[in-house]
Amino acid sequence: MTINIHPVIYYRAKSEDWTDGWQQFDWVALNLVKAIKHKSFNGTSRIPMKSGATVTIDSTENGRKRALSLLSTSIAKKIVSAGYSDVLVIPIPASDHVAPGASFTGGRIANAIQAFNPKLIATPSLYFSQKLPKSSEGGGRDSALIEMKLRGGDDIPAGSEIVLLDDVFTTGAHMRAVTRYLRKKGHTVKDGFVVARTRWQRPERMLQAESETCTFS
């Protein structure tokens, strides 16, 4: 099984594999992820734009809104660049997303994407039957177990073309589980779009991630 992954930025792993210290853009990438997840961080981060301007984010409501606008716009453009026009954007549910209709990070991003481009239709249909332990809390990366706990999607029209959305892609277990779950229901899933791709070694540019094709067993 393969799926194309399209990240906006890279994300520094909490690992001893990195041999150098934290640099400016490592913190910027980390704080972008924290802002989009509504997690607090100290100070501000400034993101340089191609136009020469900068976007400043922080832990305030306005700072988080700027992060959401920046990242959702970037993802929307990537979706269109990948060849999609009218398509369902299905966010992968957070590990603790067990109540259909409740707010979660992916859902907020999907709604912002649709606000930017109404043809990219936010469809936060999926949730879990019970809370899953987060990886930071010792949770596993068993995609089969994740798939077993997935629920929802019955409101998605039969045979839909779908793109997936997530905040951070590390091992791909959640992406793999949701892809299988939706393909078994007869939908077409070829691409996943993510805010950040975890890296264990320094990439050339932290804030300009490249697409890749991932193959899963």
Side-chain angles (χ1 to χ4, degrees), residues 29-87:
L30 174 64
N31 290 341
L32 269 169
V33 172
K34 285 188 173 183
I36 208 75
K37 288 174 169 284
H38 287 184
K39 293 183 177 180
S40 297
F41 58 91
N42 295 325
T44 63
S45 285
R46 292 178 173 82
I47 298 93
M49 308 298 290
K50 290 182 179 179
S51 64
T54 59
V55 174
T56 301
I57 64 167
D58 52 34
S59 292
T60 67
E61 181 178 355
N62 285 335
R64 289 170 175 172
K65 286 180 178 179
R66 286 190 290 270
L68 178 62
S69 176
L70 172 65
L71 292 168
S72 61
T73 299
S74 297
I75 292 173
K77 291 178 178 179
K78 282 181 175 287
I79 294 173
V80 173
S81 294
Y84 296 96
S85 52
D86 297 86
V87 70

Side-chain angles (χ1 to χ4, degrees), residues 127-209:
Y127 60 97
F128 288 112
S129 60
Q130 63 186 73
K131 290 184 179 181
L132 303 179
K134 299 179 183 296
S135 58
S136 59
E137 301 169 350
R141 299 287 189 178
D142 186 336
S143 64
L145 178 60
I146 295 169
E147 183 183 354
M148 286 176 56
K149 303 295 183 182
L150 277 167
R151 298 291 185 273
D154 295 336
D155 57 333
I156 301 172
S160 290
E161 185 172 52
I162 289 166
V163 298
L164 299 181
L165 174 68
D166 206 0
D167 47 16
V168 176
F169 181 99
T170 302
T171 66
H174 284 77
M175 185 77 69
R176 182 161 68 249
V178 173
T179 298
R180 276 201 305 251
Y181 181 82
L182 292 171
R183 286 179 179 177
K184 286 177 181 178
K185 288 179 174 290
H187 306 301
T188 299
V189 185
K190 297 179 180 178
D191 293 272
F193 296 81
V194 299
V195 169
R197 170 70 160 111
T198 303
R199 288 294 296 266
W200 286 264
Q201 295 181 343
R202 180 174 300 286
E204 184 176 347
R205 294 184 294 270
M206 284 294 289
L207 303 184
Q208 297 180 38

Side-chain angles (χ1 to χ4, degrees), residues 36-38 68 72 75 89-97 99-116 120-127 163-168 193 195:
I36 208 75
K37 288 174 169 284
H38 287 184
L68 178 62
S72 61
I75 292 173
V89 180
I90 296 190
I92 294 175
S95 298
D96 59 356
H97 183 59
S103 177
F104 65 104
T105 301
R108 291 193 297 269
I109 302 171
N111 289 334
I113 289 171
Q114 183 175 335
F116 177 77
L120 308 178
I121 303 168
T123 313
S125 299
L126 305 182
Y127 60 97
V163 298
L164 299 181
L165 174 68
D166 206 0
D167 47 16
V168 176
F193 296 81
V195 169

